[in-house]
Amino acid sequence: MTTEHQHNTTRIVLFLVLMVLVSLNLRPALSSLAPLLVRVQLDTGLSPLAIGALTTLPVLCLGVFAPLAPWLARRLGPENTLTLALVLMILGLLIRGTPPTILLFAGTLLAGAAIGIAGTLLPALVKREIPAGADLMTGVYTMALCLGGALGAGLSIPLTDLLGNWRLSLIGWSLPSVTALLAWVMLMPRTPRAAPSPGGGGSLRQLLSQPLAWHVMLYMGTQSSLAYIVFGWLPTLLQARGYSESEAGWMMGASVMVQLISALGAPWLARFGRDQRPALMLTLGCVGAGLWLLLQGPTGWRWAGVVLLGLGQGGSFSLALALIVLRTGNSRLAGKLSGLAQGGGYTLAAMGPLTVGVLLQFDVSLTALTTALLSIVAAAASFALLAGRNRRLDVDEAGRLITR
């Protein structure tokens, strides 16, 4: 093995470790608050509407701030932009656990903005550092995201009981972020700034003129909408079905843990076909079957529903991120498509939990709610059939954005 080859291998392994460390911190800020909402409401006297806003606003922030990432990366470099995002996240996590209540909203918004920026940068960095295996490495990144989300949800109540205060529990999540920031600053890959390609590698206007970019964004939005509906409302819907509070919680937690398997496995599975459509249909089929079994099927099949939902959601999100790197010809384009797909996608996704909240407010039946959820699955499948085709955004010799 040559010295250069050894150096490249070491660099890739180091980047993977850093990517996992950063990714683990991109979901606890969202998932650690949900289990504490009842305590927060009792302690602060916030209205149900304000509590609803507290869960919807960070998802909206993911969408609003994601397009800022490519712009910041051009000016500061992607490495420094990720450093800035981690600093903002730590500040947000510290602020949201500090009285008065207005800081709970301010800190949550700041953390959401930081996650929007960091989450958009990572697929482009993966494409730059590991171009040959970018789709498989996106699976590792998604697995770390899912694990972070599961840890945030699972450890939130025990941490509160241990520290005796929900505010200290929320502040406590800043410690893993500080660890990730220190590791990133000391060990981040330092790649020379690439000269801009002719025509800038495709402006946002050029990107919006390409149907393929819209297909990827709309698939990202519809499947993420299902993910945030499950994140925010599944325990409530399961209790409406007749399960106890604790069993509904365990079913939700188990479903998130199952996501780890398919988050890693789905991009690998997608390599067997000429394009990603079979893998996308398989994962979305699992989501639909899982939701139906949990909300309408025989109760004896509930754990099969939990497993199917977890496998489907982990796989469909992992493939959504893999499509960003597979549908672009270089890391600059991957960064821009990432900003568009996650920006527009998460803004669309925020409408999902909000719609379910409105439907529940009007006492809509569980059957009607299940039908609404399955129609979102069908919409996601139609966009997946378009986004999953073997096409790629690239820049031609004249610097124009084209679809190959």
Side-chain angles (χ1 to χ4, degrees):
M1 191 186 283
T2 64
T3 309
E4 189 185 352
H5 186 69
Q6 273 183 316
H7 175 72
N8 283 342
T9 306
T10 306
R11 182 191 170 98
I12 287 170
V13 170
L14 184 61
F15 174 73
L16 270 176
V17 171
L18 289 172
M19 181 184 73
V20 167
L21 199 54
V22 171
S23 305
L24 280 170
N25 285 280
L26 298 187
R27 284 297 174 270
L30 304 174
S31 64
S32 60
L33 184 59
L36 299 172
L37 288 176
V38 175
R39 300 188 192 206
V40 172
Q41 193 172 4
L42 286 171
D43 206 23
T44 58
L46 288 171
S47 68
L49 189 65
I51 288 289
L54 200 57
T55 57
T56 303
L57 285 173
V59 183
L60 209 51
C61 271
L62 294 185
V64 172
F65 286 90
L68 198 62
W71 182 83
L72 284 169
R74 276 201 307 278
R75 281 151 185 79
L76 307 175
E79 299 87 355
N80 295 334
T81 305
L82 192 55
T83 303
L84 174 67
L86 287 169
V87 169
L88 289 177
M89 186 153 68
I90 292 161
L91 279 176
L93 293 170
L94 291 171
I95 288 169
R96 73 173 183 167
T98 314
T101 306
I102 189 70
L103 291 180
L104 177 61
F105 284 87
T108 302
L109 288 177
L110 196 57
I115 293 165
I117 293 167
T120 304
L121 283 174
L122 278 171
L125 280 167
V126 170
K127 178 90 175 175
R128 188 191 76 184
E129 294 295 318
I130 316 168
D135 53 339
L136 297 184
M137 291 309 109
T138 304
V140 177
Y141 158 56
T142 315
M143 191 180 76
L145 278 181
C146 295
L147 181 59
L151 290 173
L155 296 177
S156 192
I157 298 286
L159 197 59
T160 304
D161 293 340
L162 179 70
L163 299 172
N165 188 314
W166 63 264
R167 292 187 186 277
L168 290 176
S169 171
L170 290 180
I171 289 171
W173 290 102
S174 62
L175 291 176
S177 298
V178 170
T179 307
L181 173 65
L182 291 174
W184 178 256
V185 169
M186 288 189 289
L187 303 169
M188 64 179 167
R190 300 188 188 271
T191 300
R193 299 283 292 277
S197 54
S203 64
L204 180 62
R205 188 180 296 170
Q206 285 180 307
L207 207 54
L208 288 170
S209 71
Q210 298 293 324
L212 180 57
W214 282 91
H215 299 153
V216 173
M217 181 185 81
L218 290 167
Y219 169 65
M220 170 64 91
T222 44
Q223 72 80 32
S224 294
S225 175
L226 290 163
Y228 287 110
I229 288 168
V230 166
F231 229 26
W233 290 111
L234 185 64
T236 307
L237 298 177
L238 290 173
Q239 286 171 58
R241 181 90 211 267
Y243 298 111
S244 70
E245 187 183 26
S246 62
E247 190 173 14
W250 278 111
M251 288 159 79
M252 164 85 172
S255 183
V256 175
M257 287 308 287
V258 171
Q259 288 183 19
L260 302 181
I261 301 164
S262 54
L264 195 58
W268 176 77
L269 178 71
R271 284 195 159 193
F272 284 111
R274 284 185 301 116
D275 57 37
Q276 286 70 49
R277 285 175 293 182
L280 287 162
M281 290 302 105
L282 179 63
T283 57
L284 288 168
C286 287
V287 173
L291 285 170
W292 186 84
L293 281 172
L294 286 172
L295 302 179
Q296 298 295 318
T299 54
W301 284 78
R302 63 189 182 280
W303 289 103
V306 164
V307 172
L308 282 171
L309 182 62
L311 288 174
Q313 291 208 297
S316 61
F317 180 55
S318 187
L319 287 169
L321 291 174
L323 285 177
I324 291 170
V325 296
L326 288 169
R327 295 293 166 264
T328 47
N330 58 59
S331 64
R332 275 177 67 84
L333 271 177
K336 287 179 178 176
L337 182 60
S338 185
L340 177 67
Q342 297 197 58
Y346 287 136
T347 305
L348 179 64
M351 300 303 110
L354 201 62
T355 305
V356 172
V358 171
L359 291 174
L360 287 171
Q361 191 79 42
F362 285 107
D363 286 329
V364 168
S365 72
L366 199 57
T367 306
L369 265 170
T370 307
T371 306
L373 293 180
L374 293 179
S375 66
I376 300 175
V377 176
S382 64
F383 297 127
L385 285 171
L386 295 167
R389 294 174 298 174
N390 192 11
R391 310 248 170 116
R392 197 176 69 178
L393 294 166
D394 216 335
V395 181
D396 68 9
E397 292 76 14
R400 290 186 304 266
L401 187 65
I402 54 166
T403 301
R404 291 194 195 279

